[in-house]
């Protein structure tokens, strides 16, 4: 069915880590073309983008001084202190062993073999003690009892998602905090303030309804947080046969008003490789003060589309930085680094989930459109860029952002929106600056909420 700006439309951002730059480029193009959007939804780094876009903070993602231009993303998902301590311990142990063997081989007279052994053991003990101390000081969770041998505390998840969570939480606070330059409050307070600002702005130019998703490891189900206009809000929280909606649906305009930033933080946390984000629910809520662990799940795009269908959406535009399936005989070299290998799995899982979601979308929606690259060498965790074997050069995050911008025009705005006749004169005369957009029905407006 042909695209129509009259239908209730959702923009869905799905991806992880560095792929948020692709979202930013596509958002810039949709902003320029004045594409009408009623609901902004997201998973992974797309949840963070959705929070900013819904409250008219989208330009902060792509503008010259925006997040994907000025931030230092190399530390988004860095090694944890425990992982670094274990590396230091391993290197120290190897150095001690080599030094001891060298001294023995050289026939050193000033230390006997027993003395050398004692020195080696003492050094190993000191290094192990240091590692255990660091592990105990940084171990998670602080609000949950853990089980298992104490020695497992020295391991844990190898990567830290805190820098990514902190970057986007700060961006949300700067958006809703006005001229205040003070550090933001705790996530619950930031989430509450965000929900208040968005609820007050619904119906005004630049503000859109919101829906994001993360996975609750303790309940083994997805948690969907949304701030919707009536009557869709009532339908979102209404009981459904065979499902406890209070356990999986957070109404950000009601009982879940504190958890917008918490769910975003969970969505920014890759599973297994990073410690899940702990969220303490209200004492008077369904979970009665329990602390649950949230993380991302690439397959949650299917759940997101299901909830959007129930929220009255009849037309969706999906933005994903995962390239289409490669042609035969074009296999890439296997990544050796842990984050690279994790990124390969995340990208494959997202592509498979998107394939399944599109099959269901044909039944649930009147129209569904996808903006995605034909080739993208930058993986989800290649936040510093990546080498591309095909072009034999390194690709940067800036190029990924520009790729999203161009793909949005070539794949959706020109062939779909233009072919429908909506804003066709504007598309023909468009320029490459953010000035060419429509205020009355565009994705954004120039005034802050």
């Amino acid at each position: 069915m042909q695209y129509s700006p009259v239908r209730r439309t959702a923009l869905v951002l799905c991806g992880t880590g560095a792929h948020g730059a692709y979202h930013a480029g596509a958002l810039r193009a949709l902003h320029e073309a004045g594409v009408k959007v009623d609901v902004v939804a997201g998973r992974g780094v797309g949840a963070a983008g959705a929070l900013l876009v819904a409250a008219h903070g989208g330009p902060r993602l792509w503008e010259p001084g925006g997040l994907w231009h000025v931030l230092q993303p190399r530390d988004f998902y860095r090694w944890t202190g425990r992982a670094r301590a274990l590396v230091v311990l391993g290197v120290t142990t190897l150095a001690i062993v080599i030094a001891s063997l060298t001294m023995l081989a050289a026939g050193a007279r000033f230390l006997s073999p027993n003395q050398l052994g004692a020195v080696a053991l003492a050094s190993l003990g000191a290094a192990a003690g240091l590692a255990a101390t660091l592990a105990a000081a940084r171990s998670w969770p602080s609000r949950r009892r853990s089980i298992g041998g104490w020695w497992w505390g020295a391991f844990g998840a190898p990567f830290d998602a805190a820098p990514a969570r902190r970057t986007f939480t700060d961006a949300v606070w700067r958006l809703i905090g006005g001229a205040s330059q003070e550090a933001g409050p705790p996530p619950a307070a930031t989430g509450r303030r965000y929900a208040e600002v968005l609820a007050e702005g619904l119906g005004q130019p630049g503000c859109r309804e919101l829906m994001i998703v993360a996975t609750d490891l303790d309940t083994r189900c997805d948690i969907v947080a949304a701030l919707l206009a009536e009557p869709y809000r009532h339908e979102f929280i209404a009981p459904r046969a065979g499902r406890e909606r209070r356990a999986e649906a957070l109404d950000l305009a009601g009982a879940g008003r504190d958890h917008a930033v918490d769910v975003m933080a969970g969505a920014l946390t890759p599973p297994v490789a990073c410690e899940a984000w702990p969220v303490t629910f209200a004492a008077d809520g369904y979970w009665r003060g329990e602390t649950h662990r949230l993380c991302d799940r690439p397959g949650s795009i299917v759940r997101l589309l299901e909830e959007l269908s129930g929220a009255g959406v009849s037309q969706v535009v999906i933005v994903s930085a995962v390239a289409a399936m490669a042609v035969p005989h074009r296999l890439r070299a296997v990544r050796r680094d842990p984050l690279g290998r994790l990124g390969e799995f995340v990208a494959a899982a997202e592509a498979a989930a998107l394939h399944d979601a599109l099959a269901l979308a044909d039944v649930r929606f009147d129209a569904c459109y996808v903006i995605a690259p034909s080739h993208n060498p930058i993986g989800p965790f290649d936040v510093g860029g990546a080498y591309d074997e095909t072009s034999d050069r390194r690709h940067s995050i800036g190029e990924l952002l520009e790729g999203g911008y161009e793909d949005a025009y070539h794949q959706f705005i020109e062939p779909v929106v233009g072919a429908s006749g909506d804003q066709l004169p504007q598309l023909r005369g468009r320029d490459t600056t953010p000035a060419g957009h429509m205020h009355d029905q565009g994705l954004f407006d120039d005034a802050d909420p």
Side-chain angles (χ1 to χ4, degrees), residues 18 332 335 337 339-340 377-387 395 397:
R332 299 174 60 184
R335 296 286 294 265
D337 57 302
L339 270 180
I378 297 179
F381 302 103
D382 296 328
V383 287
Y387 169 74
H395 284 242
I397 288 293

Side-chain angles (χ1 to χ4, degrees), residues 12 22-23 124 204 254 273 308 399 418 427 430 440:
V12 182
Y22 187 84
H23 298 163
L124 287 173
Q204 300 178 12
L308 288 170
E399 289 178 275
L427 292 177
R430 72 176 175 87
D440 55 348

Side-chain angles (χ1 to χ4, degrees), residues 201-296:
L202 282 185
Q204 300 178 12
C207 286
R208 297 296 180 265
E209 297 168 61
L210 172 73
M211 183 179 291
I212 58 177
V213 64
T215 297
D216 187 335
L217 296 180
D218 292 289
T219 63
R220 300 178 183 177
C221 69
D222 294 322
I223 286 186
V224 182
L227 202 157
L228 303 172
E230 294 291 359
Y232 309 108
R233 177 194 172 203
H234 176 76
E235 296 173 359
F236 174 70
I237 61 179
R240 298 181 188 176
R243 305 182 72 161
E244 178 50 74
R245 292 297 288 171
R246 294 176 299 169
E248 60 182 12
L250 287 179
D251 177 19
L252 298 180
R257 59 187 175 275
D258 292 352
H259 298 306
V261 171
D262 278 326
V263 177
M264 179 193 75
L268 287 169
T269 305
V272 184
C274 299
E275 298 288 5
W277 176 249
V279 177
T280 301
F281 294 100
D284 59 350
Y286 180 79
W287 295 112
R288 300 192 180 280
E290 291 182 3
T291 297
H292 292 193
R293 300 164 297 157
L294 303 187
C295 68
D296 180 36

Side-chain angles (χ1 to χ4, degrees), residues 82-365:
R82 286 175 294 179
R84 289 194 293 268
L86 288 172
V87 171
V88 171
L89 175 60
V91 173
T92 302
T93 301
L94 181 61
I96 291 173
V97 170
I98 293 176
S100 300
L101 292 176
T102 301
M103 294 177 70
L104 287 173
R109 302 294 184 215
F110 54 92
L111 288 178
S112 66
N114 289 338
Q115 290 174 321
L116 285 173
V119 171
L121 288 175
S123 301
L124 287 173
L130 174 62
T133 300
L134 290 172
R138 298 177 59 88
S139 62
W140 186 96
S142 59
R143 289 177 279 178
R144 288 286 299 276
R145 182 176 63 89
S146 58
I147 60 176
W150 62 267
W151 52 86
W152 291 115
F155 295 92
F159 300 105
D160 188 5
R165 294 191 294 247
R166 186 165 51 249
T167 295
F168 285 102
T169 299
D170 290 346
V172 169
W173 175 248
R174 287 194 298 272
L175 174 65
I176 63 178
S180 175
Q181 298 298 317
E182 298 180 0
T190 303
R192 187 183 314 118
R193 176 59 182 156
Y194 174 87
E196 292 171 354
V197 170
L198 187 57
E200 293 172 359
L202 282 185
Q204 300 178 12
C207 286
R208 297 296 180 265
E209 297 168 61
L210 172 73
M211 183 179 291
I212 58 177
V213 64
T215 297
D216 187 335
L217 296 180
D218 292 289
T219 63
R220 300 178 183 177
C221 69
D222 294 322
I223 286 186
V224 182
L227 202 157
L228 303 172
E230 294 291 359
Y232 309 108
R233 177 194 172 203
H234 176 76
E235 296 173 359
F236 174 70
I237 61 179
R240 298 181 188 176
R243 305 182 72 161
E244 178 50 74
R245 292 297 288 171
R246 294 176 299 169
E248 60 182 12
L250 287 179
D251 177 19
L252 298 180
R257 59 187 175 275
D258 292 352
H259 298 306
V261 171
D262 278 326
V263 177
M264 179 193 75
L268 287 169
T269 305
V272 184
C274 299
E275 298 288 5
W277 176 249
V279 177
T280 301
F281 294 100
D284 59 350
Y286 180 79
W287 295 112
R288 300 192 180 280
E290 291 182 3
T291 297
H292 292 193
R293 300 164 297 157
L294 303 187
C295 68
D296 180 36
R297 183 175 71 88
S300 59
I301 177 65
V302 177
R303 177 60 186 280
L304 202 56
L305 293 181
E306 175 190 342
E307 293 289 346
L308 288 170
S309 175
V313 170
S314 60
Q315 186 171 257
V316 294
V317 181
I318 301 173
V319 181
S320 171
V322 175
M325 185 179 297
V327 297
H329 314 301
R330 292 288 297 275
L331 297 178
R332 299 174 60 184
V334 177
R335 296 286 294 265
R336 292 181 178 178
D337 57 302
L339 270 180
R341 291 195 173 189
L342 175 63
E344 289 179 327
F345 168 77
V346 169
E350 180 180 331
L354 183 57
H355 179 272
D356 295 340
L358 292 177
L360 295 175
D362 289 339
V363 178
R364 296 182 181 275
F365 303 102

